[in-house]
Every structure is written in C-alpha cells, then in structure tokens.
C-alpha cells in the first residue's frame, strides 16, 4: 500500500483487461492507418498491357518536313505503308495524347489538335470501329483537354474522349521493373483496344532533359507518380518496357527548345517543321533528340529503353523514309 | 466499489486525458493531410482579384477559379518545372485565367519569399528575344507573354493569342500588380557591375546559396565571357560590409585550396586578391568595397588576369 493510503497494487484481471483494451486500440489504429495509407480508389485485379505492336511489319520510320501538320502526318504514314497497314477495319484504336497542361495549342506544351484530328480521320478512313483519345493529366483533365484544343479536335473528328475517373484504374507489374510494381495505370481506355498510337510534341524537360514518345506514357500512370521524378530516367525506361505501341507520332513542327515542359513564351519554340512517325519509339526519340540539339548520351533513358527491350538508338538502321512537303 | 478496484488518482486522470488529446490531435492531422492530398488545389475565391492586383482592366473577366499551390502541390500545375522554383525558395503560387481581347490570359504569381529568389528564377528563365519594359523591379515582353519580378514575387502573364490589344492587357495587369505590391527596395540586380566588353548577356545566372560548393557564398551573380578563343565566367556578390567581402575572399580561397587547387601569384594592382589553379583552370577572387568578385573556369591565365583587372576597375568606377 502506498503512503497516501491508496492500494497501488493491480490485480491480474485488471492487468489483463487493460492490456486487452490497449491491444485493441493499437490494432484499430494500425488498421486505420493501413487502410488510409496511399489508398488507391477502385483498384481491382492486376492487368498486363498487351503488346500492341505489329512485329510482322518490321521496324519502320518516316521523317517528313513541312509546316502543315495534317499533311506531314498523312505523308509520313503513307511513306511507311499507309494507315491500312496499321489499322484494320473494325479495330478499336486508342490515341494516347499529351494533354498534361491547360495550355493553348500555340504554346506547344501539349499534343497539337491538328495532329489528333488528322490521326482520328485516318483511323476512321481505315475502318476503325471506335477511336478513343485519352490522357491522365495531374491538373484538371477537363480543363487540359478543353484549353489544349484536343477535346474539341477529337470530337469533331469523330473520336471519343475518355477523361480519367476513379474506376478507370487497375494495377500492373512490369516484369523486371523496380518502380512499376503493383502500380495503378489508366486501364479502362486500353481495355479491349486493338491498336495504340502515341502522339506527342517534342519538348525540353526541366527534369528529364526531354519529353517525347516514351515520356508520353507517364500519362497512363495513376497514384502519386511524382515520386518517380527522383529517378526520371529509370521510370521512363520502365514505361518503354510497359508499353509496346502500334505506332508513335512525334510532332517536331514547333519544338520546345527551352523552359519545358510548360514553356509559355513563343520564344521557347523553334519551328523545325518535322513530323516523325515510327513503329520504334526508341528510334523516334533518338531522332527527336537531334531536333532539340541534344545527343542520346544526354538522355540516358533512351539507351536504357533500347537495352531493356525492342528498339534501337541507331535510327538510321531503320532506313527512315525522308519526305519533304511544301 | 469492489475492494480490488483502485480509485484513480488525479494525476492518472490528467495523464490519461493528455494522452487522449495527443492521440486525437494525431488523428486530426492525419485526416486533414489525407483530405488535403485528395483535394490539393485550394480555390480561394475571396474576390475576383484575390489580392493579386488592385483591380481588373476593363473588358477583362475571370475565366476560371483563382488557384493556389504550395511546394508539395506545385508539380500538379507545372509538372517537372516545379523543382526550379522549389529549389529557389518557393512559397506559393497563385494563378488565374482571364478572358481578354478575344483570347485568354493566364496570370501566375510565384511568391518566392525574397527578392534574391525571385531574381534567380527570373534570370534562369529569361528569354533571349525580349523587349525590356519600364516596370519595377524588372520586366520584359515576348510575343505572347510578359515576365516580371517585383520584390519577392516572380510573375508570368501568358496569353493564348498574339496581338496589340492582348499585349496591352498584359502590360495593364502587370502595372496593377506592381501598384498592389510594395517592396523593401532590395538591390539584387548587379548586372551593371560587369564589364560590357565580351560579356554574354544571355548567359547570366543568379545563385541564391552555396555558390561553387562553398556554403558561405550566397547571392552570386555569374556571367559568361567569350574572350577571343577562350571562355571565362565572372561573378559578383554584394556583401553586407567591406569586412565581410574581404574576409570571404580569403575563406573562399582557402576552401579552394582544401579542394585541391594550388596557389598562384595573383595579378598586380588588385586589392585583396587571391588566385588559384587546378588542371590548367584559373580562378581569381578579390573584393572591392562591399563587393566580392572574381573570374573562374578560364584556361588562359593571361585572359583570366585581364578580365579580373577590367572587372576590378569597372566596379571601382561604377561604385559599390
């Protein structure tokens, strides 16, 4: 008994009751923390993206110069076999654009609406059953698709714009990847699609050095993806491992040479008037780097992607068709 | 009461309540952070202006909400460019789109905390084809955008169109921002301290802290020079006192020597001057009054000494 007259001893029953109460509290707190931690909304079973490339066609590439995007795109695709080589009647086609910013087309920070419209028209001409357009910008998707002009251009060309929603994500694990393990991706637009075409501008990027075809797939990632900025070359390499597109279009009509990825001033842009179309996204980016005045060595993810999977840094081995449209 | 049930003491009660309050506080913080992460852009609609300008120009109307971004959410608005600002002392971004002159204008107001930070990001992104504007503290126009720094703020006003009318709107908005933003009049732009001959004005950088790896060297303005076939970098840094500038010269020189540089005889006629060399690269550092200055990254000793003498003489002439 303590000096103030109180009995300070505790019975076994009291001890067990209190211990049980503490244990339940800890378990409840821990469960709540686990439930709240990095919650991903509406994530179902894992998916693996199919290979959308057409190996039978072999590697192909065209480099078309000219100031009219619709014309250079058409000529570029015709030069490597025409749209019918890539899109068959009845195909469902997804156009993955770069709609990362609510920025007007003039500023070159997003895929140009003229390219989206023309590609949608070409796919429609080839008999595509459905043409979808999507991206998962971090900023408000509706504003991004609206102000970039991509939304209107796609709809007017008969395509359907799919803005990301909570239920559109599924997790994926890329074999051999360090970062893309159990990671949510924007899967709904890809679900049941036969062909995947990436369309992106060529831009300087403050973090990555450049933003081109392979960086475009960043817009398929969900979750707190900005954490990958710590190893931007590593994540872009893994994106190239994750996505095997049918075709990539690199729009070098107005290249963002500095202050990327947002730009903002027309002085950031250089009129290079070049449209690249390729089945090989590594080769496309390797050539795109030259329009930025950069070398492949300055963009480690290009060599990384070549080492990790199909694709070559040496784009000349693809015997690219070079065309000029006046 | 059961004879085995102890009566709680007052101290036990107080301790229990304190623990419960701490746990409740932790839970509240977790819930707040979680909901903040899920809805990270805060629309602050206090007024159309949101404290950015004094008023809107005639014919200009909001085209979206006033938005606010902090360091952990800035990437949502400007993606990979966020790091440029965050590494330079970024505090907050307020931005809003407006309809004007048949197009749209978006205004970005970056609160960089201090004038030197605003200067750093202003200079880091300064476009070469620029029309200087007569707006304090500094501003310039390009074909479709206006860039301004004012005290600790860096402002970008970007239009979706090109044209005289929309340019006038941007200039008007910039003027209203300047009017709404008093400053302490801090001097950060010391471009005038550089010698004009062989200077590459488009190649200037402002380092806010730890210049050249030396922790004590902050607020350093660097400029590139092309002297015949040789290139060099000159730098100036305004210190709080002559004593500080003088002391820093020796501390910086000792730092370079500790990094493996070797002593070299400094050029004649330069006050408080030290010179070092490493693998054929020369560096000269000196002080003139409150200004610490120097030349670095120069492979030609004669060119380095000549530039250092010119820089020293020029700083003496223009005053510190």
């Amino acid at each position: 008994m303590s000096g103030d007259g109180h009995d300070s001893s505790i019975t076994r029953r009291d001890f067990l009751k209190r211990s049980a109460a503490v244990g339940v509290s800890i378990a409840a707190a821990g469960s709540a923390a686990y439930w709240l931690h990095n919650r991903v909304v509406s994530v179902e079973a894992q998916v693996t993206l199919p290979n959308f490339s057409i190996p039978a066609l072999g590697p192909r590439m065209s480099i078309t110069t000219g100031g009219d995007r619709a014309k250079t795109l058409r000529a570029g695709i015709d030069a490597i076999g025409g749209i019918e080589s890539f899109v068959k009647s009845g195909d469902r086609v997804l156009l993955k654009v770069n709609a990362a910013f609510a920025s007007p087309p003039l500023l070159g920070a997003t895929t140009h609406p003229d390219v989206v419209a023309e590609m949608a028209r070409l796919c429609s001409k080839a008999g595509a059953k459905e043409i979808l357009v999507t991206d998962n910008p971090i900023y408000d998707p509706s504003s991004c698709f609206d102000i970039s002009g991509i939304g209107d251009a796609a709809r007017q060309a008969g395509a359907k714009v799919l803005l990301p929603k909570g239920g559109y994500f599924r997790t994926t694990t890329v074999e051999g990847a360090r970062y893309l393990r159990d990671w949510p991706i924007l899967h709904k637009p890809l679900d049941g699609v036969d062909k995947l075409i990436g369309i992106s501008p060529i831009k300087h990027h403050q973090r990555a050095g450049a933003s081109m075809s392979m960086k475009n797939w960043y817009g398929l990632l969900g979750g707190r993806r900005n954490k990958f900025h710590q190893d931007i070359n590593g994540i872009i390499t893994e994106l190239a491992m994750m996505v095997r597109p049918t075709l990539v279009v690199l729009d070098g009509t107005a290249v963002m040479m500095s202050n990327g990825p947002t730009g903002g001033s027309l002085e950031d842009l250089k009129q290079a008037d070049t449209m690249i179309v390729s089945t090989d996204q590594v080769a496309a980016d390797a050539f795109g780097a030259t329009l930025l005045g950069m070398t492949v060595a300055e963009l480690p993810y290009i060599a990384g992607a070549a080492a990790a999977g199909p694709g070559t840094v040496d784009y000349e081995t693809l015997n690219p068709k070079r065309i000029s449209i006046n | 009461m059961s004879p085995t049930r102890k009566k709680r003491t007052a101290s036990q009660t107080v301790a229990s309540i304190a623990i419960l309050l701490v746990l409740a506080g932790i839970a509240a913080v977790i819930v707040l952070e979680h909901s903040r992460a899920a809805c990270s852009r805060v629309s602050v609609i206090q007024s159309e202006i949101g404290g950015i300008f004094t008023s809107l120009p005639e014919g200009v109307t909001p085209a979206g909400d006033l938005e606010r971004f902090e360091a952990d959410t800035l990437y949502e608005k400007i993606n990979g460019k966020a790091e440029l600002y965050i590494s330079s002392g970024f505090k907050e971004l307020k931005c809003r789109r407006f309809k004007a002159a048949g197009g749209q204008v978006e205004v970005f107001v970056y609160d960089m905390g201090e004038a030197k930070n605003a200067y750093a990001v202003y200079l880091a992104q300064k476009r070469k084809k620029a029309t200087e504007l007569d707006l304090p503290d500094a501003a310039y126009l390009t074909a479709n955008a206006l860039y301004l720094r004012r005290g600790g703020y860096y402002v970008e006003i970007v239009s979706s169109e090109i044209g005289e009318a929309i340019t006038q709107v941007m200039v008007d908005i910039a003027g209203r921002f300047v009017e709404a933003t008093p400053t302490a009049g801090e001097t950060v732009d010391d471009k005038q301290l550089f010698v004009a001959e062989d200077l590459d004005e488009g190649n200037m950088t402002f380092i806010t802290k730890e210049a050249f790896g030396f922790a004590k060297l902050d607020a350093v303005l660097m400029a590139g020079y092309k002297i015949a076939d040789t290139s060099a970098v000159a730098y100036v840094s305004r210190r709080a006192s002559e004593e500080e500038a003088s002391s820093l010269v020796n501390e910086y020189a000792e730092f370079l020597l500790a990094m493996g540089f070797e002593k070299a005889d400094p050029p004649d006629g330069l006050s408080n001057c030290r010179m070092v060399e490493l693998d054929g690269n020369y560096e000269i550092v000196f002080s003139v009054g409150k200004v610490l200055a120097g030349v670095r990254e120069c492979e030609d000793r004669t060119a380095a000494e000549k530039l250092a003498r010119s820089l020293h003489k020029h700083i003496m002439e223009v005053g510190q």
Side-chain angles (χ1 to χ4, degrees), chain B residues 213-289:
Chain B
F214 185 48
K216 285 188 173 183
L217 203 45
D218 61 349
V220 174
L221 181 63
M222 292 187 349
Y225 278 82
K226 192 78 182 159
I227 308 156
D229 294 329
T230 302
S231 61
V233 172
Y235 56 91
V236 295
S237 176
R238 194 178 287 275
R239 313 312 301 180
S241 66
E242 285 190 33
E243 291 72 29
E244 188 199 329
S246 174
S247 169
L248 257 183
V249 167
N250 289 307
E251 288 178 69
Y252 178 51
E254 292 303 316
F255 164 77
L256 291 173
L257 291 171
M259 296 303 290
F261 280 77
E262 293 190 2
K263 257 189 200 174
D265 290 333
D268 297 330
L270 300 191
S271 54
N272 190 32
C273 180
R274 300 280 299 267
M275 184 166 176
V276 296
E277 176 266 337
L278 178 68
D279 296 337
N281 265 284
Y282 294 91
E283 179 149 1
I284 303 171
V285 55
F286 58 89
S287 66
V288 182

Side-chain angles (χ1 to χ4, degrees), chain B residues 3-276:
Chain B
T4 62
R5 190 186 172 94
K6 297 193 326 291
K7 201 172 163 183
R8 282 194 200 89
T9 64
S11 58
Q12 284 176 329
T13 304
V14 166
S16 303
I17 292 170
I19 289 168
L20 285 170
L21 282 173
V22 167
L23 288 173
I26 291 170
V29 166
I30 290 170
V31 168
L32 272 170
E33 283 299 317
H34 188 73
S35 55
R36 199 161 152 253
C39 180
S40 51
R41 271 178 291 114
V42 175
S43 289
V44 181
I45 310 179
Q46 292 162 351
S47 69
E48 286 186 339
I49 316 303
I52 300 179
F53 328 110
T54 50
S55 59
L56 281 176
E58 199 178 317
V60 177
T61 54
D65 291 337
L66 176 64
E67 298 174 304
R68 186 165 64 84
F69 298 87
E70 296 176 345
D72 58 347
T73 55
L74 182 61
Y75 77 94
E76 293 179 15
K77 183 68 178 178
I78 62 172
N79 202 268
K81 218 168 179 190
E83 211 169 286
L84 169 68
Y85 294 93
I86 291 166
S87 64
S88 301
F90 170 82
K91 304 285 180 215
E92 179 187 74
L93 166 66
K94 278 187 188 169
C95 52
R96 194 165 200 182
R97 262 190 296 279
F98 298 90
K99 284 183 202 164
Q104 282 202 1
V105 159
E106 187 162 15
V107 181
F108 299 78
V109 177
Y110 292 88
D111 180 355
M112 299 303 297
E114 297 179 57
K116 63 176 184 176
N117 297 337
Y119 183 49
V121 296
Y122 176 87
L123 210 55
Q125 302 175 89
K126 181 113 189 262
R127 275 72 174 179
K128 289 189 173 160
K129 277 191 200 166
T131 303
E132 301 291 328
L133 286 175
D134 186 18
L135 277 172
D137 302 332
Y140 66 94
L141 259 181
T142 65
N144 71 301
L146 187 152
Y147 301 88
L148 159 75
R149 62 176 181 86
R150 173 79 171 152
Y153 294 96
Y154 170 68
V155 179
E156 294 189 346
I157 305 172
V158 179
S159 70
S160 63
E161 312 286 333
I162 305 170
E164 215 173 291
I166 207 162
T167 297
Q168 193 47 53
V169 166
M170 292 194 289
V171 173
D172 195 342
I173 288 173
R176 287 162 198 259
F177 177 80
V178 167
E179 191 184 305
T181 314
T183 69
E186 197 181 331
T187 304
V188 289
D189 184 356
D190 279 324
K191 224 167 29 184
Q192 77 284 359
L193 293 177
F194 288 114
V195 179
E197 190 185 348
D198 300 322
L199 171 66
D200 181 359
E201 273 211 51
N203 186 12
M204 280 200 183
T205 312
F206 186 75
I207 305 173
T208 55
K209 57 187 178 186
E210 293 180 19
F212 319 138
F214 185 48
K216 285 188 173 183
L217 203 45
D218 61 349
V220 174
L221 181 63
M222 292 187 349
Y225 278 82
K226 192 78 182 159
I227 308 156
D229 294 329
T230 302
S231 61
V233 172
Y235 56 91
V236 295
S237 176
R238 194 178 287 275
R239 313 312 301 180
S241 66
E242 285 190 33
E243 291 72 29
E244 188 199 329
S246 174
S247 169
L248 257 183
V249 167
N250 289 307
E251 288 178 69
Y252 178 51
E254 292 303 316
F255 164 77
L256 291 173
L257 291 171
M259 296 303 290
F261 280 77
E262 293 190 2
K263 257 189 200 174
D265 290 333
D268 297 330
L270 300 191
S271 54
N272 190 32
C273 180
R274 300 280 299 267
M275 184 166 176
V276 296

